[in-house]
């Protein structure tokens, strides 16, 4: 895949800008479309109805300053995230529920609710220790939920909640295995 991409650019493609945040590069019969992440994300916003219900955590990814990522998978994060159109909560930590508004740009805006403590406390199921240096923690799911995350539809059963530092992938699907 990398070789094909580099070979494309060796052919000195013609670059055209079209629409906001989009480029079309053409080299012979091959075309590469590029979009700014914010532009692409807006094309994949779930409707408020698609957001409702319970979601299981598939993985948590931490985006490191200067590049790089680290993550943990579904077996490490118990419980569910639930959206009812007015409140969002983690099913095992309802004391950290929040009221929210789903903004037109696809952001869950916190309107009220308990402050999330800096230290992992008050929710034993999510107080697991670090799995390694710079790894995200199950507790980070609560932090992301309260940090006005952006929402992106990955597919009919999967959404991504993201902030500058974290991405939380959620699914409606049953656990594998």
């Amino acid at each position: 895949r990398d070789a094909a991409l580099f070979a494309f650019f060796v052919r000195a493609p013609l670059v055209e800008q079209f629409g906001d945040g989009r480029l079309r590069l053409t080299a012979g019969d091959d075309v590469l479309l590029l979009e700014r992440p914010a532009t692409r994300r807006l094309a994949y916003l779930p409707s408020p109805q698609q957001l409702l219900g319970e979601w299981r955590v598939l993985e948590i990814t931490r985006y490191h300053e200067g590049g790089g990522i680290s993550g943990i998978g579904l077996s490490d994060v118990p419980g569910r995230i639930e959206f009812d159109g007015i409140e969002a909560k983690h099913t095992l930590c309802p004391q950290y529920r929040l009221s929210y508004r789903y903004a037109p740009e696809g952001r869950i805006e916190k309107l009220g609710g308990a402050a999330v403590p800096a230290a992992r406390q008050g929710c034993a199921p999510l107080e697991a220790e670090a799995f390694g240096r710079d790894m995200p923690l199950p507790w980070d799911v609560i932090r992301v939920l309260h940090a006005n995350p952006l929402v992106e539809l990955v597919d009919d059963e999967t959404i991504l909640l993201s902030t500058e530092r974290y991405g939380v992938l959620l699914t409606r699907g049953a656990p594998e295995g």
Side-chain angles (χ1 to χ4, degrees):
R1 188 171 77 180
D2 290 344
L5 181 64
F6 290 122
F8 177 84
F9 282 102
V10 166
R11 295 177 12 216
L14 172 67
V15 178
E16 302 170 73
Q17 183 173 355
F18 69 102
D20 267 348
R22 292 184 174 99
L23 296 175
R24 178 185 346 213
L25 291 82
T26 307
D29 292 335
D30 296 322
V31 177
L32 175 64
L33 299 174
L34 300 176
E35 291 182 302
R36 292 191 185 279
T39 301
R40 194 199 73 73
R41 192 187 70 74
L42 289 176
Y44 294 92
L45 295 182
S47 71
Q49 291 300 317
Q50 287 174 299
L51 190 61
L52 299 179
E54 284 193 356
W55 297 86
R56 181 174 53 86
V57 176
L58 275 177
E59 64 184 55
I60 306 169
T61 302
R62 183 173 177 190
Y63 310 120
H64 299 286
E65 290 182 29
I69 62 171
S70 56
I72 60 174
L74 66 100
S75 62
D76 303 313
V77 185
R80 304 279 190 269
I81 302 295
E82 183 178 356
F83 297 97
D84 69 8
I86 298 170
E87 287 188 333
K89 68 179 181 183
H90 189 285
T91 58
L92 299 178
C93 307
Q95 67 272 31
Y96 294 116
R97 74 175 26 94
L98 62 108
S99 58
Y100 73 93
R101 173 180 93 90
Y102 185 51
E105 74 277 7
R107 182 178 299 278
I108 296 170
E109 292 181 348
K110 180 178 177 179
L111 300 176
V116 177
R120 300 180 313 266
Q121 63 185 25
C123 184
L126 297 183
E127 291 178 11
E129 291 300 315
F131 299 100
R133 185 173 175 256
D134 292 329
M135 294 295 287
L137 303 165
W139 181 257
D140 293 327
V141 171
I142 299 291
R143 287 185 181 138
V144 168
L145 197 57
H146 283 257
N148 300 319
L150 295 169
V151 184
E152 185 175 329
L153 190 63
V154 176
D155 61 38
D156 290 340
E157 297 290 312
T158 312
I159 59 173
L160 173 68
L161 304 181
S162 64
T163 65
E164 289 291 319
R165 291 203 61 194
Y166 295 96
V168 176
L169 199 59
L170 304 173
T171 186
R172 292 190 192 280
E176 294 178 6

